[in-house]
Amino acid sequence: MDNKQTNGYGQASMAYLLWGVLPLYWKALQEVSSIEILSHRILWSFIFLLGWNLLRKGKETFRIFRDKGKRSIMIVTALLISFNWGIYIWGVNSGHTVDVSLGYFINPLVSVFLGMIFFKERLSPLKWIALVLALMGVGYQTYAYGQLPWIAVCLALSFGLYGMFKKKYAMDSMGSLMGETMLITPLALGTILYLSFKGESGLFTLGATTDIMLLLSGIVTSVPLFLFAEGAKKIPLSAVGFLQYIAPSLMLSIGVFFFGENFTETDAISFTLIWCGLLIYTYAAVRGYRKQRKQKVARV
């Protein structure tokens, strides 16, 4: 393994580790309303990303806005990522971190399903088995609890659709996220000002630690994304597939062992079905990747 790949594995692993422990950050802000946390996350992400992109790209920063098609799609992706962030923050701060982790375990298989529908991707028999097992896991939990695990489903669907639009329109992760947060920033800033006017804002009222954490929410959001974008370029796709389970595994552990959330027998059965599906899916993806590599080598 060369230095480039080593750095790639380090960057991607760090990204998933940071995403995995992020619930601890939002939980520390639980005295602040979820809508205000979301608004600060959007506002400060935009400011941070604007500065970052200007330093790296200069005038090319705004190139993405010249494409009318991408401008329209960014409105959709902006709404999707804002919805995803909002459900995520609310889920963690209302005692549903286990459900949040379930959403990110399901997400890769939702992406497979969306790829089949929108990109006409064919599924191998193993990937079909993986998909069925995931559906069985969600179905069992729905049957046992008498309701759909809507937090998990909303997170998985919103992020899956977000990724699907990014792929379809070949949108740069850092540049497009800057554009997306820019589109929502007026609403986020308006919410912050409204809450301040009403005397319901957590900023400058709950102590210096809360103030600093709200102001740093943009960096906390953007740094893992940058690490992932850089790392994913340097390592095999199959490796990314393995590493992506670090984040939800950490979220689940934090929910159960740090936040004291219940992990029932129903959860155990549901998660086991989904984990089995993920293992089969990952095996199929790795096997497919290796087969493609061998074919390329043979052609050379």
Side-chain angles (χ1 to χ4, degrees), residues 80-123:
L80 284 169
I81 198 62
S82 299
F83 177 75
N84 182 272
W85 286 355
I87 293 291
Y88 176 27
I89 292 166
W90 180 86
V92 169
N93 286 355
S94 60
H96 295 285
T97 308
V98 171
D99 290 331
V100 169
S101 72
L102 177 63
Y104 288 107
F105 275 120
I106 296 171
N107 176 247
L109 298 173
V110 168
S111 296
V112 170
F113 181 69
L114 291 172
M116 183 179 66
I117 294 174
F118 293 101
F119 297 102
K120 309 299 181 186
E121 294 176 359
R122 292 184 178 182
L123 299 189

Side-chain angles (χ1 to χ4, degrees), residues 137-150 266:
V138 174
Y140 178 77
Q141 197 169 107
T142 302
Y143 170 77
Y145 288 139
Q147 62 180 18
L148 191 72
W150 67 270
T266 296

Side-chain angles (χ1 to χ4, degrees), residues 211-243:
D211 297 341
I212 292 168
M213 291 185 74
L214 287 172
L215 296 174
L216 291 178
S217 58
I219 295 176
V220 167
T221 297
S222 305
V223 168
L225 180 68
F226 169 73
L227 289 171
F228 172 75
E230 290 298 306
K233 297 174 187 174
K234 303 168 187 172
I235 61 176
L237 186 61
S238 57
V240 176
F242 277 118
L243 293 174

Side-chain angles (χ1 to χ4, degrees), residues 43-291:
L43 171 64
W44 299 112
S45 290
F46 166 61
I47 291 171
F48 176 77
L49 288 165
L50 177 63
W52 177 268
N53 282 290
L54 284 171
L55 284 172
R56 296 188 78 200
K57 300 179 180 179
K59 293 180 181 179
E60 289 299 303
T61 295
F62 302 101
R63 186 177 181 181
I64 194 168
F65 296 106
R66 297 173 196 163
D67 187 322
K68 187 178 179 181
K70 286 187 178 180
R71 286 202 306 269
S72 301
I73 292 301
M74 270 199 293
I75 295 172
V76 177
T77 54
L79 293 172
L80 284 169
I81 198 62
S82 299
F83 177 75
N84 182 272
W85 286 355
I87 293 291
Y88 176 27
I89 292 166
W90 180 86
V92 169
N93 286 355
S94 60
H96 295 285
T97 308
V98 171
D99 290 331
V100 169
S101 72
L102 177 63
Y104 288 107
F105 275 120
I106 296 171
N107 176 247
L109 298 173
V110 168
S111 296
V112 170
F113 181 69
L114 291 172
M116 183 179 66
I117 294 174
F118 293 101
F119 297 102
K120 309 299 181 186
E121 294 176 359
R122 292 184 178 182
L123 299 189
S124 66
L126 283 176
K127 286 186 178 180
W128 270 113
I129 293 171
L131 199 58
V132 169
L133 283 170
L135 290 171
M136 286 172 63
V138 174
Y140 178 77
Q141 197 169 107
T142 302
Y143 170 77
Y145 288 139
Q147 62 180 18
L148 191 72
W150 67 270
I151 294 174
V153 171
C154 284
L155 285 171
L157 278 175
S158 59
F159 202 69
L161 287 167
Y162 178 74
M164 187 263 301
F165 280 113
K166 291 275 204 179
K167 178 180 178 180
K168 186 174 177 64
Y169 294 94
M171 297 167 75
D172 166 63
S173 55
M174 299 294 281
S176 60
L177 184 60
M178 182 206 71
E180 291 153 5
T181 51
M182 185 186 80
L183 290 171
I184 303 295
T185 283
L187 184 59
L189 183 58
T191 301
I192 293 167
L193 293 173
Y194 173 76
L195 291 172
S196 297
F197 179 76
K198 294 276 288 184
E200 298 173 5
S201 174
L203 189 66
F204 306 132
T205 61
L206 295 174
T209 301
T210 298
D211 297 341
I212 292 168
M213 291 185 74
L214 287 172
L215 296 174
L216 291 178
S217 58
I219 295 176
V220 167
T221 297
S222 305
V223 168
L225 180 68
F226 169 73
L227 289 171
F228 172 75
E230 290 298 306
K233 297 174 187 174
K234 303 168 187 172
I235 61 176
L237 186 61
S238 57
V240 176
F242 277 118
L243 293 174
Q244 70 183 329
Y245 304 124
I246 292 173
S249 298
L250 283 172
M251 290 177 197
L252 176 61
S253 300
I254 287 168
V256 175
F257 298 112
F258 284 83
F259 300 159
E261 295 180 16
N262 289 330
F263 189 73
T264 64
E265 183 180 335
T266 296
D267 291 324
I269 293 170
S270 177
F271 271 79
T272 298
L273 286 167
I274 291 165
W275 283 330
C276 288
L278 288 171
L279 286 171
I280 291 169
Y281 163 72
T282 304
Y283 170 74
V286 170
R287 193 173 72 168
Y289 174 78
R290 287 176 176 171
K291 187 177 179 180

